[in-house]
Amino acid sequence: MAGLIERWRTTVRAAGASDPAAIEATGSELLERWREPHRHYHTVDHLTAVLDVVDRYASAGRRPDLVRLAAWCHDAVYDPRAPGDRNERDSAALADTLLTGAGLPGPEVAEVRRLVLLTAGHQVDPADADGVLLCDADLAVLAAAEPEYDRYASAIRREYAHVPPAAYRIGRAQVLTHLLALPSIFRLPRPATRWEPRARANLARELGTLQAADQDVTVD
């Protein structure tokens, strides 16, 4: 955790935050949120993975430090029972409150809020360099090798353990179908050509498994 907190301090100061005590308190609060016990995928590991992708492709963004702050905040509020884009809206509102309290200037706070809201649907203008960087980093797991992708899908199911199997299959299939319907899942020039086919193969494979399970239930 010490390494993550140091990354937080470096980023928020570089972005323009000016209140040392609030910077420390805000970093601690965010980490506590990412460590909530009901999380199985949206954990510190996910935060770290997103930050690592942002760091790797930071040159593709305009204000990478603001993208990093958006990464810290984008799932800071995560309730699997929340409807629609409620988590993203609440995460954006929390980012506004915490970053303002840490002394980040208003325009920078507004930009972080805007970026967080993009993660609700991951529909981003290709010309929006910082939006592309954040959304691609958030979705990078979709292009993982099959075993890692399957662990991701299993962790998501555990987060939605309260949803009955048939209802989960319907809801999850809608998410996968939405992603597959995007003109491009990834837009970062360097990795997109490698990530896009792997992600689509993973999504299609999971969707096929869900549909097969529905057919088995129908037959039974």
Side-chain angles (χ1 to χ4, degrees):
M1 294 303 141
L4 264 179
I5 283 291
E6 187 54 39
R7 290 173 82 169
W8 162 257
R9 292 189 192 107
T10 300
T11 296
V12 74
R13 289 169 181 162
S18 58
D19 186 325
I23 287 171
E24 294 299 312
T26 297
S28 295
E29 177 174 344
L30 287 170
L31 268 186
E32 285 304 307
R33 288 177 174 273
W34 282 97
R35 297 171 67 188
E36 291 166 336
H38 66 273
R39 297 171 182 249
H40 298 279
Y41 171 69
H42 294 88
T43 64
V44 168
D45 288 342
H46 173 57
L47 169 61
T48 302
V50 173
L51 290 171
D52 287 347
V53 174
V54 173
D55 285 352
R56 191 175 308 129
Y57 299 104
S59 61
R62 295 192 179 95
R63 297 285 304 275
D65 283 322
L66 298 186
V67 180
R68 292 182 182 100
L69 292 183
W72 273 91
C73 296
H74 81 289
D75 283 322
V77 177
Y78 186 72
D79 177 4
R81 298 174 185 268
D85 64 352
R86 179 65 180 269
N87 284 324
E88 289 82 7
R89 290 187 286 110
D90 286 352
S91 292
L94 180 68
D96 195 319
T97 299
L98 293 181
L99 295 175
T100 298
L104 194 70
E108 282 72 17
V109 172
E111 175 63 1
V112 172
R113 183 186 181 103
R114 182 189 75 82
L115 291 169
V116 170
L117 290 171
L118 286 177
T119 64
H122 299 95
Q123 293 176 308
V124 55
D125 186 333
D128 180 1
D130 288 339
V132 165
L133 181 57
L134 177 64
C135 288
D136 278 20
D138 191 29
L139 295 180
V141 67
L142 302 182
E146 285 189 12
E148 182 180 349
Y149 180 91
D150 291 345
R151 287 192 293 272
Y152 145 75
S154 177
I156 293 292
R157 181 63 183 108
R158 290 199 300 277
E159 289 183 340
Y160 286 85
H162 61 281
V163 180
Y168 178 79
R169 289 194 297 271
I170 292 171
R172 181 64 178 168
Q174 290 173 343
V175 171
L176 301 177
T177 300
H178 164 76
L179 290 167
L180 285 167
L182 293 174
S184 298
I185 298 171
F186 302 109
R187 296 176 177 84
L188 284 171
R190 285 169 54 196
T193 54
R194 292 181 287 108
W195 290 0
E196 190 79 18
R198 289 208 305 259
R200 290 189 178 276
N202 281 329
L203 293 168
R205 183 169 55 84
E206 184 185 357
L207 183 59
T209 300
L210 295 172
Q211 292 169 339
D214 277 334
Q215 290 172 357
D216 289 343
V217 170
T218 301
V219 170
D220 292 343

